[in-house]
């Protein structure tokens, strides 16, 4: 591709490196990386490979050529791997245990290729979401290499990427592939439907189009975003109202743990089936089960319907909350996380010492049956290794993992998290004592670590999001200077920020991880409310940063893939949106949001507001539960103009996005 003579370059890594890694991993690591484990060897090989790709793209870019780079197919799904008889004949050293590692390695590679493509202005060509390398009709008898029909199908994919061809339909040896590419500009969607062996798969992805001009020539590059869909936004959340906790002093100052349980329906046909497991009076550390009445939009606590008690408050931990023994002075003060795991029919719980001034890295996680019997645990989320020698700086320190719990979608967990569907996190005011200066996300699957794991066991875990502790970020004008802009990992961090619950939303093409809590907006100050300029919301001595705002943070699950692949650090993942709930909750700017539960089937989000002080009938502060329903406006607003109209229905129908069309119709008729 001589400079000035415009040409194109197609870049596509072959499969030999991947197959060789797992066929010869012992000898390969011994020869080149003798000091590394298989996991480290995988990382080293992929880093070396992507460094070579970076060089290749850089050299080609210097010639002025247009670059098209292919994503790898999931080679673990090729018949040469899935058919054990074929595998034993060609790659006998690749074990069943290594097959999912191959799949994860491909995901990591593709994520890094996407980053490199963006850096060098290359166009991505997607072979990951094809079935060419899985179907016998497009493969030779070795179950690995394409046959003539397969190479024809490959050529068409390259040709379409290069030419930007419109709708095409091709049939190859009984395999029909249709690609629909709307002609709208800027932001639209592409839908690829592949039918093979009487099965149909549809992949939907948002598409952005950019045009660049070089040397008098215009180049249009189309980059597809994640196939998992579009981001959720505040306008997708419809407030349905609230209801109060049951009567009784045992429920006061509770609501710091919450889990949705689908197997009970004490409310009839009101549209709010199921029940909630939740915590009562904080010092007691007890858990009960309550009904879900139909919520009401009201401005006073006494106007709210009240939940009924389905299961009285009891010790779901079977005494474990009173027997912390990991270190001297170890203490559990709350059951601060609850989640129902339908795959094992367990209520999982998290024990927390919110004070923990000794920074004890204690265990926290356990589970019980839905009737709160047969408790098992307590386990530590992640390892306790601390490269610094100080356990406070352990990546998996208990202070980062011991609070809220929720589930990731099963398909995401299986594909990217090694099946670790349970998400745990914690954030306390000031973020200190081994913790995080912002919300955290850790993925874990205790059911994979034993049946059950042994008491005190370190569970295998993935660190997805946390924010490093920076001394300067807990600044106090009288003692510690205000840090420079950007010095803190979490934007606009304040020592009195508090993030207390979350939910992973995946509905149709729309997704987000929501984290609820409180954002402080004033200056950091440590002392009494009066000494800190007056704080009407918090009357005790400690950190203050008035005024405050109850908020929900929106994280994109797609960003977690970069952390999993190693192209981002956990503290580099930031929310894409932050939304105030001050005008919705009863407590306004002083509201304390507690815990979150999610009814995935109906898109209902339950969020506790703790110790509401507007009740005239109660002598103690009583919690309440706010309810939002996910109605994906952004999926329905197909042209992105901020209005859902008939035109969006037509565009959705043309692109074949049925779920988006249904969402648009629901919004248009006011449902």
């Amino acid at each position: 591709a001589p400079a000035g003579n415009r040409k194109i370059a197609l870049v596509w890594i072959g499969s030999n490196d991947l197959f060789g890694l797992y066929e010869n991993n012992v000898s390969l690591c011994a020869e080149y990386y003798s000091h590394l484990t298989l996991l480290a060897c995988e990382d080293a090989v992929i880093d070396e490979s992507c460094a070579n790709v970076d060089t290749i793209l850089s050299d080609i870019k210097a010639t002025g050529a247009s670059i098209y780079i292919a994503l790898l197919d999931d080679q673990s799904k090729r018949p040469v791997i899935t058919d054990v008889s074929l595998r034993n004949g060609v790659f006998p050293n690749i074990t069943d245990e290594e097959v999912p590692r191959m799949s994860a390695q491909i995901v990591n590679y593709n994520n890094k290729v996407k980053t490199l493509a963006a850096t060098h202005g290359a166009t991505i060509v997607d072979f990951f979401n094809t079935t060419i390398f899985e179907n016998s009709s497009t493969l030779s008898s070795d179950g690995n290499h394409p046959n003539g029909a397969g190479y024809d199908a490959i050529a068409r994919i390259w040709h379409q990427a290069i030419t930007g061809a419109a709708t095409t339909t091709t049939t190859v040896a009984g395999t029909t592939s249709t690609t629909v590419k709307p002609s709208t500009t800027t932001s639209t969607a592409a839908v690829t439907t592949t039918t093979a062996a009487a099965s149909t798969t549809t992949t939907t992805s948002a598409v952005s189009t950019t045009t660049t001009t070089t040397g008098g020539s215009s180049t249009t590059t189309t980059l597809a975003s994640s196939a998992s869909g579009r981001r959720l936004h505040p306008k997708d959340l419809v407030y349905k109202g609230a209801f109060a906790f049951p009567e009784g002093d045992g429920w006061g100052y509770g609501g710091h743990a919450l889990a949705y349980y689908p197997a009970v329906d004490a409310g009839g046909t009101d549209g709010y089936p199921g029940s909630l497991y939740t915590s009562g009076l904080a010092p007691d550390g007890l858990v009960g089960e309550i009904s879900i009445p139909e919520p009401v939009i009201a401005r006073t606590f006494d106007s709210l319907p009240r939940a009924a008690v389905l299961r009285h408050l009891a010790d779901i931990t079977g005494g474990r909350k009173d027997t912390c023994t990991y270190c001297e002075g170890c203490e559990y003060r709350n059951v601060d996380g609850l989640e129902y795991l339908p795959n094992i029919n367990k209520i999982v719980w998290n024990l927390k010492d919110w004070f923990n001034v000794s920074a004890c890295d204690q265990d926290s996680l356990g589970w019980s049956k839905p009737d709160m019997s047969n408790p098992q645990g307590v386990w530590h989320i992640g390892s306790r290794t601390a490269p610094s020698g100080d356990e406070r700086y352990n990546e998996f320190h208990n202070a980062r993992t011991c609070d809220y719990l929720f589930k990731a979608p099963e398909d995401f967990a299986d594909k990217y998290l090694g099946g670790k569907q349970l998400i745990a996190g914690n954030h306390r005011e000031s973020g200190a004592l081994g913790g995080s200066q912002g919300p955290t996300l850790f993925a874990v699957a205790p059911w994979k670590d034993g049946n059950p794991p042994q008491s005190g066991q370190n569970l295998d875990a993935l660190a997805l999001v946390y924010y490093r502790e920076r001394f300067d970020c807990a600044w106090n004008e009288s003692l510690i200077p205000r840090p420079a802009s950007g010095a803190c990992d979490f934007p606009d961090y304040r020592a009195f920020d508090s993030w207390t619950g979350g939910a992973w939303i995946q509905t149709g093409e729309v997704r987000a991880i929501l984290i609820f809590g409180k954002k402080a907006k004033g200056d950091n100050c440590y002392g009494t409310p009066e000494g800190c300029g007056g704080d009407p919301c918090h009357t005790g001595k400690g950190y203050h940063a008035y005024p405050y705002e109850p908020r929900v943070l929106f994280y994109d699950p797609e960003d977690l893939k970069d952390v999993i692949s190693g192209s981002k650090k956990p503290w580099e993942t930031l929310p894409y949106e932050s939304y105030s709930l001050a005008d919705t909750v009863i407590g306004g700017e002083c509201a304390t949001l507690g815990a979150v539960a999610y009814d995935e089937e109906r898109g209902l989000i339950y969020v506790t507001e703790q110790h509401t002080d507007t009740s005239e009938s109660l002598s103690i502060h009583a919690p309440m539960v706010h309810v939002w329903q996910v109605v994906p406006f952004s999926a329905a607003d197909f042209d992105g103009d901020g209005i859902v109209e008939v035109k969006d229905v037509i565009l959705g129908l043309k692109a074949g996005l049925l779920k988006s069309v249904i969402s648009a119709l629901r919004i248009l008729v006011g449902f």
Side-chain angles (χ1 to χ4, degrees):
N5 183 5
R6 187 166 182 78
K7 294 188 181 292
I8 61 173
L10 314 184
V11 182
W12 196 1
I13 288 287
S15 61
N16 289 357
D17 284 356
L18 187 80
F19 288 136
L21 171 62
Y22 294 98
E23 171 68 8
N24 306 299
N25 64 77
V26 176
S27 59
L28 178 68
C29 283
E31 183 177 356
Y32 295 106
Y33 310 105
S34 58
H35 63 292
L36 299 180
T37 63
L38 176 56
L39 177 61
C41 189
E42 288 172 326
D43 292 341
V45 167
I46 206 168
D47 287 344
E48 183 177 359
S49 179
C50 289
N52 291 337
V53 173
D54 188 32
T55 300
I56 290 168
L57 297 184
S58 179
D59 288 351
I60 296 174
K61 184 178 180 180
T63 71
S66 298
I67 307 172
Y68 297 82
I69 184 166
L71 298 182
L72 290 183
D73 66 286
D74 189 341
Q75 293 160 18
S76 71
K77 295 181 180 179
R78 295 187 184 186
V80 73
I81 297 297
T82 59
D83 186 327
V84 177
S85 60
L86 282 177
R87 191 203 315 167
N88 288 340
V90 183
F91 302 117
N93 294 328
I94 297 180
T95 65
D96 289 342
E97 290 74 18
E98 288 176 325
V99 171
R101 299 187 75 104
M102 291 178 61
S103 183
Q105 186 82 338
I106 288 296
V107 172
N108 292 342
Y109 170 82
N110 282 341
N111 285 336
K112 292 194 175 187
V113 164
K114 292 174 185 177
T115 301
L116 290 170
T119 300
H120 294 287
T123 298
I124 290 291
V125 183
D126 189 0
F127 283 92
F128 184 78
N129 290 303
T130 67
T131 59
I132 294 171
F133 295 91
E134 301 172 29
N135 295 328
S136 59
S137 62
T138 48
L139 290 178
S140 63
S141 59
D142 66 4
N144 190 13
H145 296 92
N147 58 19
Y151 281 117
D152 286 346
I154 290 169
R156 274 188 287 275
I157 292 175
W158 283 110
H159 183 264
Q160 183 177 335
I162 295 166
T163 62
T167 303
T168 60
T169 301
T170 58
T171 302
V172 181
T175 299
T176 302
S177 177
T178 303
T179 300
V180 182
K181 187 175 181 181
S183 58
T184 51
T185 57
T186 62
S187 181
T188 178
V191 180
T192 302
T193 302
T194 303
T195 304
S199 65
T200 301
T201 302
T202 301
T203 301
T204 305
S205 59
V207 173
S208 60
T209 303
T210 58
T211 301
T212 57
T213 303
T214 305
S217 300
S218 294
T219 303
T220 300
T221 303
T222 303
L223 298 176
S225 71
S226 164
S228 62
R230 305 176 183 177
R231 287 174 168 177
L232 191 79
H233 292 283
K235 61 187 176 182
D236 299 322
L237 304 181
V238 177
Y239 185 64
K240 308 298 287 187
F243 58 89
F245 264 43
E247 293 188 36
D249 290 353
W251 297 100
Y253 292 100
H256 40 275
L258 198 67
Y260 177 74
Y261 183 60
V264 174
D265 188 5
T269 58
D270 60 2
Y272 297 89
S275 63
L276 296 171
Y277 283 80
T278 187
S279 53
L281 185 66
D284 294 346
L286 303 180
V287 171
E289 183 183 7
I290 64 175
S291 67
I292 304 175
E294 186 172 2
V296 170
I297 297 177
R299 295 309 306 166
T300 64
F301 183 91
D302 287 326
S303 302
L304 299 176
R306 192 176 292 278
V309 177
L310 301 180
R311 195 178 301 276
H312 290 286
L313 290 165
D315 182 4
I316 196 172
T317 74
R320 287 161 175 77
K321 67 180 182 65
D322 301 317
T323 57
C324 184
T325 58
Y326 178 69
C327 56
E328 186 177 356
C330 175
E331 182 179 3
Y332 296 127
R333 300 172 191 263
N334 302 119
V335 176
D336 244 26
L338 291 169
E339 181 63 22
Y340 173 62
L341 299 175
N343 58 316
I344 56 172
N345 194 32
K346 293 287 196 299
I347 302 291
V348 63
W349 35 265
N350 228 347
L351 295 171
K352 177 180 179 180
D353 177 6
W354 54 266
F355 196 52
N356 197 9
V357 292
S358 65
C360 178
D361 189 10
Q362 58 216 32
D363 306 321
S364 66
L365 197 68
W367 65 39
S368 303
K369 290 183 177 180
D371 64 1
M372 300 202 294
S373 69
N374 194 29
Q376 294 169 324
V378 181
W379 313 303
H380 187 274
I381 298 174
S383 66
R384 283 193 174 96
T385 56
S388 67
D390 187 335
E391 72 169 14
R392 289 177 299 170
Y393 301 102
N394 175 20
E395 183 171 49
F396 296 98
H397 193 285
N398 168 267
R400 295 177 176 177
T401 64
C402 65
D403 189 2
Y404 47 85
L405 300 167
F406 57 88
K407 294 187 293 289
E410 186 175 357
D411 57 347
F412 188 99
D414 288 344
K415 190 168 185 178
Y416 300 106
L417 305 177
K420 298 177 179 65
Q421 191 180 4
L422 182 64
I423 306 297
N426 177 58
H427 176 251
R428 58 157 281 175
E429 294 88 346
S430 82
L433 312 175
S436 166
Q437 291 179 336
T440 69
L441 300 175
F442 292 83
V444 65
W447 58 93
K448 290 178 172 288
D449 289 311
N451 191 22
Q454 295 180 1
S455 179
Q457 183 173 327
N458 292 346
L459 303 175
D460 186 29
L462 288 174
L464 302 175
V465 175
Y466 64 84
Y467 302 95
R468 296 168 295 181
E469 292 182 74
R470 301 293 180 86
F471 179 74
D472 292 351
C473 296
W475 55 271
N476 183 328
E477 291 290 9
S478 61
L479 299 174
I480 307 169
R482 185 191 295 257
S485 176
C488 308
D489 289 337
F490 191 81
D492 199 30
Y493 172 76
R494 294 293 187 272
F496 209 51
D497 292 351
S498 179
W499 305 104
T500 54
W504 191 313
I505 311 299
Q506 182 80 43
T507 173
E509 297 87 23
V510 179
R511 81 281 194 229
I513 298 170
L514 305 185
I515 302 294
F516 291 79
K518 172 188 65 186
K519 184 75 187 75
K521 300 192 293 182
D523 288 344
N524 281 343
C525 179
Y526 188 88
T528 64
E530 297 76 18
C532 290
D535 184 346
C537 301
H538 300 280
T539 58
K541 182 178 180 179
Y543 273 105
H544 299 270
Y546 181 78
Y548 309 107
E549 194 171 62
R551 283 191 192 176
V552 55
L553 305 176
F554 292 71
Y555 283 84
D556 191 340
E558 289 299 298
D559 293 338
L560 302 185
K561 296 177 183 178
D562 295 330
V563 178
I564 297 165
S565 70
S567 60
K568 268 188 178 181
K569 300 297 184 182
W571 55 87
E572 294 175 331
T573 298
L574 300 174
Y576 62 86
E577 195 152 3
S578 177
Y579 182 68
S580 172
L581 302 173
D583 293 336
T584 303
V585 297
I586 285 183
E589 66 176 1
C590 294
T592 299
L593 300 184
V596 180
Y598 181 48
D599 175 359
E600 179 181 356
E601 183 176 348
R602 292 158 195 84
L604 295 169
I605 305 170
Y606 299 95
V607 183
T608 63
E609 182 178 351
Q610 295 181 268
H611 41 79
T612 310
D613 60 0
T614 55
S615 173
E616 299 175 0
S617 61
L618 297 176
S619 59
I620 65 168
H621 295 289
M624 57 188 291
V625 180
H626 295 279
V627 186
W628 283 268
Q629 185 168 34
V630 179
V631 180
F633 180 95
S634 60
D637 181 21
F638 200 80
D639 58 3
D641 64 355
I643 304 171
V644 174
E645 50 199 334
V646 175
K647 179 174 63 174
D648 294 300
V649 176
I650 297 172
L651 289 172
L653 287 170
K654 286 182 177 180
L657 296 179
L658 183 58
K659 290 182 179 178
S660 296
V661 171
I662 293 173
S663 297
L665 290 171
R666 290 174 65 187
I667 293 172
L668 284 172
V669 300
F671 175 70

